[in-house]
Amino acid sequence: VQLVESGGGLVQPGGSLRLSCAASGLTFGNYIMGWYRQAPGKQRELVASISMYGSTNYVNSVKGRFTVSRDNAKNTMSLQMNSLKFEDTAVYYCHAGRYLQSYWGQGTQVTVSS
């Protein structure tokens, strides 16, 4: 199983980024997909998740600013991040989960700085 994130980078406060996760080696449509992030000195936290059927959940701090989506035909998941804030700076990880199965990507850095 491989999960490969892309789209991270440096952005000014108020800007936007779109992260993508390309999955291979698994039946993508059977997995709950999620975006996690980990800032320096902090625990990894769940940012957004999307079920096999498209139901979404967000941590309160990103509601109204981030949108998670998936394309089961292309085995991809995206995270559209708008109105970025300094506190969104972190390494963002793609995750796939199903029962006891859990897979992680290598992470992509998002830095919000002026």
Short mmCIF file of all heavy atoms in Angstrom, two decimals, residues 63-114:
data_model
loop_
_atom_site.label_atom_id
_atom_site.label_comp_id
_atom_site.label_asym_id
_atom_site.label_seq_id
_atom_site.Cartn_x
_atom_site.Cartn_y
_atom_site.Cartn_z
N LYS A 63 -13.23 24.10 10.36
CA LYS A 63 -14.58 24.10 9.78
C LYS A 63 -14.84 25.43 9.08
O LYS A 63 -14.55 26.50 9.60
CB LYS A 63 -15.62 23.87 10.88
CG LYS A 63 -15.70 22.43 11.35
CD LYS A 63 -16.79 22.26 12.40
CE LYS A 63 -16.87 20.81 12.85
NZ LYS A 63 -17.88 20.62 13.93
N GLY A 64 -15.39 25.31 7.87
CA GLY A 64 -15.67 26.50 7.09
C GLY A 64 -14.50 26.98 6.26
O GLY A 64 -14.66 27.85 5.40
N ARG A 65 -13.31 26.42 6.51
CA ARG A 65 -12.12 26.84 5.75
C ARG A 65 -11.55 25.70 4.90
O ARG A 65 -11.01 25.95 3.82
CB ARG A 65 -11.03 27.32 6.71
CG ARG A 65 -11.45 28.50 7.56
CD ARG A 65 -10.25 29.07 8.34
NE ARG A 65 -9.67 28.11 9.28
CZ ARG A 65 -8.40 27.71 9.26
NH1 ARG A 65 -7.57 28.18 8.34
NH2 ARG A 65 -7.96 26.85 10.17
N PHE A 66 -11.64 24.48 5.40
CA PHE A 66 -11.08 23.33 4.70
C PHE A 66 -12.21 22.46 4.15
O PHE A 66 -13.27 22.34 4.77
CB PHE A 66 -10.25 22.47 5.64
CG PHE A 66 -8.95 23.07 6.09
CD1 PHE A 66 -8.64 24.41 5.88
CD2 PHE A 66 -8.01 22.29 6.76
CE1 PHE A 66 -7.45 24.96 6.30
CE2 PHE A 66 -6.81 22.81 7.19
CZ PHE A 66 -6.53 24.16 6.95
N THR A 67 -11.96 21.84 3.01
CA THR A 67 -12.92 20.92 2.42
C THR A 67 -12.20 19.66 1.95
O THR A 67 -11.25 19.75 1.16
CB THR A 67 -13.64 21.56 1.22
OG1 THR A 67 -14.29 22.76 1.63
CG2 THR A 67 -14.66 20.60 0.64
N VAL A 68 -12.65 18.52 2.44
CA VAL A 68 -12.07 17.24 2.05
C VAL A 68 -12.98 16.60 1.00
O VAL A 68 -14.20 16.71 1.07
CB VAL A 68 -11.88 16.32 3.26
CG1 VAL A 68 -13.19 15.98 3.93
CG2 VAL A 68 -11.11 15.05 2.86
N SER A 69 -12.37 15.95 0.02
CA SER A 69 -13.12 15.27 -1.02
C SER A 69 -12.35 14.03 -1.46
O SER A 69 -11.15 13.90 -1.19
CB SER A 69 -13.38 16.21 -2.20
OG SER A 69 -12.16 16.65 -2.77
N ARG A 70 -13.04 13.15 -2.13
CA ARG A 70 -12.39 11.94 -2.63
C ARG A 70 -12.96 11.58 -3.99
O ARG A 70 -14.12 11.89 -4.30
CB ARG A 70 -12.56 10.77 -1.65
CG ARG A 70 -13.97 10.29 -1.48
CD ARG A 70 -14.07 9.27 -0.34
NE ARG A 70 -13.34 8.04 -0.61
CZ ARG A 70 -13.02 7.14 0.32
NH1 ARG A 70 -13.37 7.35 1.58
NH2 ARG A 70 -12.37 6.04 -0.02
N ASP A 71 -12.14 10.90 -4.78
CA ASP A 71 -12.56 10.39 -6.07
C ASP A 71 -12.22 8.90 -6.08
O ASP A 71 -11.06 8.52 -6.29
CB ASP A 71 -11.84 11.13 -7.20
CG ASP A 71 -12.34 10.74 -8.58
OD1 ASP A 71 -12.85 9.61 -8.73
OD2 ASP A 71 -12.21 11.54 -9.50
N ASN A 72 -13.22 8.08 -5.84
CA ASN A 72 -12.97 6.64 -5.72
C ASN A 72 -12.55 6.03 -7.06
O ASN A 72 -11.88 4.99 -7.09
CB ASN A 72 -14.21 5.93 -5.20
CG ASN A 72 -14.47 6.23 -3.73
OD1 ASN A 72 -13.56 6.66 -3.00
ND2 ASN A 72 -15.69 6.03 -3.29
N ALA A 73 -12.92 6.65 -8.16
CA ALA A 73 -12.53 6.14 -9.47
C ALA A 73 -11.05 6.39 -9.75
O ALA A 73 -10.41 5.62 -10.48
CB ALA A 73 -13.38 6.79 -10.56
N LYS A 74 -10.51 7.44 -9.15
CA LYS A 74 -9.10 7.80 -9.38
C LYS A 74 -8.22 7.46 -8.18
O LYS A 74 -7.01 7.70 -8.22
CB LYS A 74 -8.98 9.28 -9.70
CG LYS A 74 -9.65 9.69 -11.00
CD LYS A 74 -9.45 11.16 -11.28
CE LYS A 74 -10.08 11.56 -12.61
NZ LYS A 74 -9.90 13.00 -12.90
N ASN A 75 -8.82 6.90 -7.14
CA ASN A 75 -8.05 6.56 -5.92
C ASN A 75 -7.32 7.77 -5.34
O ASN A 75 -6.14 7.68 -4.96
CB ASN A 75 -7.05 5.44 -6.21
CG ASN A 75 -7.71 4.09 -6.44
OD1 ASN A 75 -8.94 4.00 -6.45
ND2 ASN A 75 -6.91 3.07 -6.64
N THR A 76 -8.02 8.87 -5.28
CA THR A 76 -7.41 10.08 -4.75
C THR A 76 -8.30 10.76 -3.72
O THR A 76 -9.52 10.62 -3.73
CB THR A 76 -7.10 11.09 -5.87
OG1 THR A 76 -8.32 11.42 -6.53
CG2 THR A 76 -6.10 10.53 -6.86
N MET A 77 -7.66 11.50 -2.84
CA MET A 77 -8.34 12.32 -1.85
C MET A 77 -7.67 13.69 -1.88
O MET A 77 -6.46 13.79 -2.10
CB MET A 77 -8.22 11.72 -0.45
CG MET A 77 -8.80 12.59 0.63
SD MET A 77 -8.66 11.90 2.28
CE MET A 77 -6.91 11.78 2.52
N SER A 78 -8.45 14.72 -1.66
CA SER A 78 -7.92 16.08 -1.66
C SER A 78 -8.35 16.83 -0.41
O SER A 78 -9.33 16.47 0.24
CB SER A 78 -8.41 16.83 -2.90
OG SER A 78 -7.94 16.24 -4.08
N LEU A 79 -7.60 17.85 -0.10
CA LEU A 79 -7.95 18.76 0.99
C LEU A 79 -7.75 20.18 0.47
O LEU A 79 -6.61 20.60 0.26
CB LEU A 79 -7.09 18.51 2.22
CG LEU A 79 -7.46 19.35 3.44
CD1 LEU A 79 -8.83 18.94 3.99
CD2 LEU A 79 -6.40 19.23 4.54
N GLN A 80 -8.83 20.88 0.26
CA GLN A 80 -8.77 22.27 -0.14
C GLN A 80 -8.71 23.11 1.12
O GLN A 80 -9.62 23.05 1.97
CB GLN A 80 -10.00 22.65 -0.98
CG GLN A 80 -10.03 24.11 -1.39
CD GLN A 80 -8.91 24.47 -2.34
OE1 GLN A 80 -8.60 23.72 -3.27
NE2 GLN A 80 -8.29 25.63 -2.12
N MET A 81 -7.66 23.89 1.26
CA MET A 81 -7.45 24.69 2.45
C MET A 81 -7.48 26.17 2.08
O MET A 81 -6.62 26.64 1.32
CB MET A 81 -6.11 24.34 3.10
CG MET A 81 -5.95 22.86 3.41
SD MET A 81 -4.45 22.47 4.33
CE MET A 81 -3.22 22.92 3.12
N ASN A 82 -8.46 26.87 2.60
CA ASN A 82 -8.61 28.30 2.35
C ASN A 82 -8.43 29.08 3.64
O ASN A 82 -8.49 28.52 4.73
CB ASN A 82 -9.99 28.59 1.76
CG ASN A 82 -10.23 27.89 0.43
OD1 ASN A 82 -9.30 27.69 -0.35
ND2 ASN A 82 -11.46 27.52 0.17
N SER A 83 -8.23 30.37 3.48
CA SER A 83 -8.07 31.26 4.64
C SER A 83 -7.08 30.70 5.65
O SER A 83 -7.34 30.64 6.85
CB SER A 83 -9.43 31.49 5.32
OG SER A 83 -10.37 32.01 4.40
N LEU A 84 -5.94 30.31 5.15
CA LEU A 84 -4.94 29.67 6.00
C LEU A 84 -4.42 30.62 7.07
O LEU A 84 -4.26 31.83 6.84
CB LEU A 84 -3.80 29.12 5.16
CG LEU A 84 -4.16 27.81 4.43
CD1 LEU A 84 -3.23 27.56 3.26
CD2 LEU A 84 -4.12 26.65 5.40
N LYS A 85 -4.15 30.04 8.23
CA LYS A 85 -3.67 30.79 9.38
C LYS A 85 -2.29 30.27 9.79
O LYS A 85 -1.90 29.15 9.45
CB LYS A 85 -4.64 30.62 10.55
CG LYS A 85 -6.07 31.02 10.25
CD LYS A 85 -6.96 30.75 11.44
CE LYS A 85 -8.40 31.14 11.15
NZ LYS A 85 -9.29 30.89 12.32
N PHE A 86 -1.58 31.09 10.56
CA PHE A 86 -0.27 30.68 11.06
C PHE A 86 -0.36 29.30 11.74
O PHE A 86 0.51 28.46 11.56
CB PHE A 86 0.28 31.69 12.05
CG PHE A 86 0.64 33.01 11.46
CD1 PHE A 86 -0.01 34.17 11.86
CD2 PHE A 86 1.64 33.12 10.49
CE1 PHE A 86 0.32 35.40 11.31
CE2 PHE A 86 1.98 34.35 9.94
CZ PHE A 86 1.31 35.49 10.35
N GLU A 87 -1.42 29.11 12.50
CA GLU A 87 -1.55 27.87 13.29
C GLU A 87 -1.87 26.65 12.44
O GLU A 87 -1.94 25.53 12.97
CB GLU A 87 -2.61 28.04 14.39
CG GLU A 87 -3.94 28.56 13.91
CD GLU A 87 -4.07 30.08 14.07
OE1 GLU A 87 -3.08 30.80 13.81
OE2 GLU A 87 -5.17 30.53 14.45
N ASP A 88 -2.06 26.82 11.15
CA ASP A 88 -2.24 25.67 10.26
C ASP A 88 -0.90 25.07 9.83
O ASP A 88 -0.87 24.02 9.17
CB ASP A 88 -3.03 26.07 9.01
CG ASP A 88 -4.46 26.47 9.33
OD1 ASP A 88 -5.09 25.80 10.16
OD2 ASP A 88 -4.94 27.47 8.74
N THR A 89 0.18 25.72 10.19
CA THR A 89 1.51 25.22 9.84
C THR A 89 1.75 23.87 10.49
O THR A 89 1.61 23.72 11.71
CB THR A 89 2.60 26.21 10.29
OG1 THR A 89 2.46 27.43 9.56
CG2 THR A 89 3.99 25.64 10.07
N ALA A 90 2.08 22.88 9.68
CA ALA A 90 2.28 21.51 10.17
C ALA A 90 2.68 20.61 9.01
O ALA A 90 2.61 21.03 7.84
CB ALA A 90 1.00 20.98 10.81
N VAL A 91 3.06 19.41 9.36
CA VAL A 91 3.18 18.36 8.34
C VAL A 91 1.82 17.68 8.24
O VAL A 91 1.25 17.28 9.27
CB VAL A 91 4.27 17.34 8.71
CG1 VAL A 91 4.33 16.23 7.65
CG2 VAL A 91 5.62 18.03 8.83
N TYR A 92 1.30 17.58 7.04
CA TYR A 92 -0.01 16.99 6.81
C TYR A 92 0.17 15.57 6.25
O TYR A 92 0.92 15.36 5.30
CB TYR A 92 -0.81 17.85 5.84
CG TYR A 92 -1.35 19.09 6.50
CD1 TYR A 92 -0.51 20.14 6.87
CD2 TYR A 92 -2.72 19.23 6.76
CE1 TYR A 92 -1.00 21.26 7.50
CE2 TYR A 92 -3.21 20.35 7.39
CZ TYR A 92 -2.36 21.36 7.75
OH TYR A 92 -2.84 22.49 8.38
N TYR A 93 -0.56 14.65 6.86
CA TYR A 93 -0.46 13.24 6.50
C TYR A 93 -1.79 12.70 5.97
O TYR A 93 -2.85 12.99 6.53
CB TYR A 93 -0.07 12.39 7.72
CG TYR A 93 1.28 12.72 8.29
CD1 TYR A 93 1.41 13.69 9.28
CD2 TYR A 93 2.42 12.06 7.85
CE1 TYR A 93 2.65 13.99 9.83
CE2 TYR A 93 3.67 12.35 8.40
CZ TYR A 93 3.77 13.32 9.38
OH TYR A 93 5.00 13.61 9.90
N CYS A 94 -1.70 11.90 4.97
CA CYS A 94 -2.85 11.16 4.44
C CYS A 94 -2.95 9.83 5.18
O CYS A 94 -1.92 9.19 5.47
CB CYS A 94 -2.62 10.94 2.95
SG CYS A 94 -3.84 9.90 2.12
N HIS A 95 -4.16 9.42 5.50
CA HIS A 95 -4.37 8.17 6.22
C HIS A 95 -5.53 7.40 5.60
O HIS A 95 -6.54 7.99 5.20
CB HIS A 95 -4.68 8.44 7.70
CG HIS A 95 -4.94 7.21 8.49
ND1 HIS A 95 -6.21 6.74 8.74
CD2 HIS A 95 -4.08 6.33 9.06
CE1 HIS A 95 -6.13 5.62 9.44
NE2 HIS A 95 -4.85 5.36 9.66
N ALA A 96 -5.37 6.09 5.54
CA ALA A 96 -6.43 5.18 5.10
C ALA A 96 -6.68 4.17 6.21
O ALA A 96 -5.74 3.55 6.72
CB ALA A 96 -6.04 4.47 3.82
N GLY A 97 -7.95 3.99 6.58
CA GLY A 97 -8.27 3.08 7.66
C GLY A 97 -9.48 2.22 7.36
O GLY A 97 -10.45 2.68 6.74
N ARG A 98 -9.39 0.98 7.80
CA ARG A 98 -10.51 0.05 7.65
C ARG A 98 -10.32 -1.06 8.66
O ARG A 98 -9.33 -1.78 8.59
CB ARG A 98 -10.54 -0.51 6.23
CG ARG A 98 -11.65 -1.50 5.97
CD ARG A 98 -11.68 -1.89 4.50
NE ARG A 98 -12.80 -2.78 4.19
CZ ARG A 98 -12.72 -4.10 4.18
NH1 ARG A 98 -11.59 -4.69 4.45
NH2 ARG A 98 -13.77 -4.82 3.88
N TYR A 99 -11.25 -1.17 9.60
CA TYR A 99 -11.14 -2.13 10.69
C TYR A 99 -9.75 -1.98 11.34
O TYR A 99 -9.44 -0.93 11.85
CB TYR A 99 -11.39 -3.55 10.18
CG TYR A 99 -12.77 -3.71 9.58
CD1 TYR A 99 -12.93 -3.99 8.22
CD2 TYR A 99 -13.91 -3.58 10.37
CE1 TYR A 99 -14.19 -4.12 7.66
CE2 TYR A 99 -15.17 -3.70 9.81
CZ TYR A 99 -15.31 -3.98 8.46
OH TYR A 99 -16.55 -4.11 7.91
N LEU A 100 -8.95 -3.03 11.35
CA LEU A 100 -7.63 -2.95 11.99
C LEU A 100 -6.53 -2.50 11.03
O LEU A 100 -5.37 -2.39 11.42
CB LEU A 100 -7.26 -4.31 12.59
CG LEU A 100 -8.17 -4.81 13.71
CD1 LEU A 100 -7.69 -6.16 14.23
CD2 LEU A 100 -8.23 -3.80 14.86
N GLN A 101 -6.89 -2.21 9.80
CA GLN A 101 -5.90 -1.78 8.82
C GLN A 101 -5.72 -0.28 8.89
O GLN A 101 -6.69 0.47 8.97
CB GLN A 101 -6.33 -2.19 7.42
CG GLN A 101 -6.40 -3.70 7.22
CD GLN A 101 -6.96 -4.06 5.86
OE1 GLN A 101 -7.87 -3.42 5.35
NE2 GLN A 101 -6.41 -5.10 5.26
N SER A 102 -4.46 0.14 8.87
CA SER A 102 -4.15 1.56 9.00
C SER A 102 -2.89 1.86 8.20
O SER A 102 -1.85 1.25 8.44
CB SER A 102 -3.93 1.91 10.46
OG SER A 102 -3.58 3.27 10.62
N TYR A 103 -3.01 2.81 7.28
CA TYR A 103 -1.88 3.16 6.42
C TYR A 103 -1.67 4.66 6.42
O TYR A 103 -2.64 5.43 6.47
CB TYR A 103 -2.13 2.67 4.98
CG TYR A 103 -2.39 1.19 4.88
CD1 TYR A 103 -3.69 0.72 4.66
CD2 TYR A 103 -1.36 0.28 5.01
CE1 TYR A 103 -3.94 -0.64 4.57
CE2 TYR A 103 -1.61 -1.08 4.92
CZ TYR A 103 -2.90 -1.54 4.70
OH TYR A 103 -3.14 -2.89 4.62
N TRP A 104 -0.39 5.04 6.35
CA TRP A 104 -0.02 6.46 6.39
C TRP A 104 0.84 6.83 5.18
O TRP A 104 1.65 6.03 4.72
CB TRP A 104 0.79 6.76 7.64
CG TRP A 104 0.02 6.64 8.91
CD1 TRP A 104 -0.07 5.54 9.71
CD2 TRP A 104 -0.74 7.67 9.55
NE1 TRP A 104 -0.87 5.82 10.79
CE2 TRP A 104 -1.29 7.11 10.72
CE3 TRP A 104 -1.04 9.00 9.22
CZ2 TRP A 104 -2.11 7.85 11.57
CZ3 TRP A 104 -1.85 9.73 10.08
CH2 TRP A 104 -2.38 9.15 11.23
N GLY A 105 0.70 8.07 4.74
CA GLY A 105 1.62 8.62 3.78
C GLY A 105 2.83 9.19 4.49
O GLY A 105 2.93 9.16 5.72
N GLN A 106 3.74 9.71 3.71
CA GLN A 106 5.00 10.22 4.27
C GLN A 106 4.88 11.65 4.78
O GLN A 106 5.75 12.13 5.49
CB GLN A 106 6.11 10.13 3.22
CG GLN A 106 6.16 11.28 2.22
CD GLN A 106 5.04 11.25 1.21
OE1 GLN A 106 4.29 10.28 1.09
NE2 GLN A 106 4.93 12.32 0.42
N GLY A 107 3.82 12.33 4.41
CA GLY A 107 3.59 13.68 4.88
C GLY A 107 4.05 14.74 3.90
O GLY A 107 4.97 14.53 3.11
N THR A 108 3.40 15.89 3.97
CA THR A 108 3.79 17.04 3.16
C THR A 108 3.73 18.29 4.05
O THR A 108 2.79 18.46 4.82
CB THR A 108 2.90 17.19 1.92
OG1 THR A 108 3.39 18.25 1.09
CG2 THR A 108 1.45 17.47 2.26
N GLN A 109 4.74 19.12 3.94
CA GLN A 109 4.85 20.28 4.82
C GLN A 109 4.00 21.43 4.30
O GLN A 109 4.06 21.79 3.12
CB GLN A 109 6.31 20.74 4.90
CG GLN A 109 6.54 22.00 5.73
CD GLN A 109 6.33 21.77 7.22
OE1 GLN A 109 6.83 20.79 7.77
NE2 GLN A 109 5.59 22.67 7.87
N VAL A 110 3.23 22.01 5.20
CA VAL A 110 2.49 23.24 4.92
C VAL A 110 2.99 24.29 5.90
O VAL A 110 2.96 24.08 7.12
CB VAL A 110 0.97 23.03 5.10
CG1 VAL A 110 0.24 24.36 5.02
CG2 VAL A 110 0.44 22.06 4.05
N THR A 111 3.48 25.38 5.36
CA THR A 111 3.98 26.48 6.18
C THR A 111 3.23 27.75 5.83
O THR A 111 3.22 28.17 4.67
CB THR A 111 5.48 26.69 5.96
OG1 THR A 111 6.19 25.49 6.26
CG2 THR A 111 6.01 27.81 6.85
N VAL A 112 2.60 28.33 6.84
CA VAL A 112 1.89 29.59 6.67
C VAL A 112 2.72 30.68 7.34
O VAL A 112 2.91 30.66 8.55
CB VAL A 112 0.48 29.53 7.27
CG1 VAL A 112 -0.27 30.83 6.99
CG2 VAL A 112 -0.29 28.33 6.73
N SER A 113 3.22 31.57 6.52
CA SER A 113 4.13 32.59 7.03
C SER A 113 4.07 33.83 6.16
O SER A 113 3.87 33.74 4.94
CB SER A 113 5.56 32.04 7.07
OG SER A 113 6.47 33.05 7.46
N SER A 114 4.26 34.98 6.80
CA SER A 114 4.30 36.23 6.05
C SER A 114 5.74 36.62 5.74
O SER A 114 5.99 37.64 5.08
CB SER A 114 3.61 37.34 6.84
OG SER A 114 4.17 37.45 8.13
#
